[in-house]
Amino acid sequence: MAGKKVLIVYAHQEPKSFNGSLLKIAVEELTKQGCSVTVSDLYAMQFEPRATRNDIVGRLHNSEAFNYGVETWEAYKRGGLSRDLVEEQKKVQEADLLIFQFPLFWFSMPAILKGWMDRVLVQGFAYDLSKCYDGGLLQDKLSLFSFTTGGTKEKYASRGDVRYLLWPMQHGIMHFCGVKVLEPHICYAPENVSEEKRKEMLTGWTQRLKTLWKEEPINCSPEWYFK
Ligand code: FAD
Ligand code: ZN
């Protein structure tokens, strides 16, 4: 939808990868719609995934015993977070929609993307003491997890629901911060399907993006995941 701002947080090393193609499609299609699209290409940025003392500029709140959660919260309040974090937070703040594009690693997101979650979504910015879930601080934003797998759709269907692994990402992170969640977009086993099927999956993503702004968020409750 024209005028909407989209942040795509992308975690793949290779632009020629299937994830790279999915990213390219999203940038092209959303730009065509008149959206303003920003990409955080985490590997290209050499994004630091480690949550350390370096994220705080200047003095520590308690230099006797380091507590990352407390220190980043205090640093956020006094404007003392490191520059890379401030930049990512600004992108998040401005966005109407956050798209996370990545290959599934160990039933989860790659470490570099998990590090982005750990470091960017700090207390005071994304949530606060009693401000979480529907009261989280990142209200009026949408999120979408778009990922690829090594396992085939059939394997995932026979060995348990892929939705289980979305619980920590969608509910534990996005919903916790007040962000609404759209249906995930999963491309199964791009390495192992035919070229024709790969093209079909890429077309499917383009098609979905065309009507994305008409979608309703999912009901992000245990029933959606563990029915
Ligand atoms: P690629 O290998 O880049 O792409 C697949 C094929 O698509 C390639 O041949 C590429 O050339 C082709 N392609 C790219 N663009 C186009 C285009 N425009 N048109 C046509 N073809 C194109 N999988 C699981 O299911 N569960 C796990 O828990 C899991 N854990 C993992 C942990 C680790 C550490 C690693 C490294 C992998 C893991 N995997 C797991 C597998 C991983 O999820 C897949 O390898 C990955 O999702 C594949 O996506 P890709 O973008 O890297 O594919
Ligand atoms: Zn939820």
Side-chain angles (χ1 to χ4, degrees), residues 145-166:
F145 287 84
S146 172
F147 59 95
T148 58
T149 69
T152 59
K153 193 170 187 175
E154 294 69 34
K155 282 223 175 84
Y156 274 100
S158 66
R159 289 187 196 154
D161 200 328
V162 74
R163 288 184 175 200
Y164 300 161
L165 59 90
L166 286 156

Side-chain angles (χ1 to χ4, degrees), residues 17-34:
S17 66
F18 200 77
N19 273 270
S21 292
L22 291 164
L23 170 71
K24 197 160 163 264
I25 284 172
V27 172
E28 284 172 3
E29 174 56 33
L30 292 166
T31 305
K32 203 166 95 186
Q33 292 175 16

Side-chain angles (χ1 to χ4, degrees), residues 133-134 167 170-172 174-176 181 218-222 225:
Y133 292 112
D134 292 347
W167 172 251
Q170 295 186 161
H171 179 75
M174 285 301 123
H175 189 181
F176 187 80
V181 179
I218 65 160
N219 171 21
C220 186
S221 61
Y225 300 88

Side-chain angles (χ1 to χ4, degrees), residues 18 22 25 148 185-191 193-207:
F18 200 77
L22 291 164
I25 284 172
T148 58
H185 198 86
I186 310 173
C187 289
Y188 290 97
E191 292 152 296
V193 297
S194 65
E195 179 70 6
E196 192 189 355
K197 182 72 195 163
R198 275 199 285 273
K199 295 285 181 214
E200 206 178 284
M201 288 198 286
L202 294 169
T203 311
W205 182 222
T206 312
Q207 289 308 117

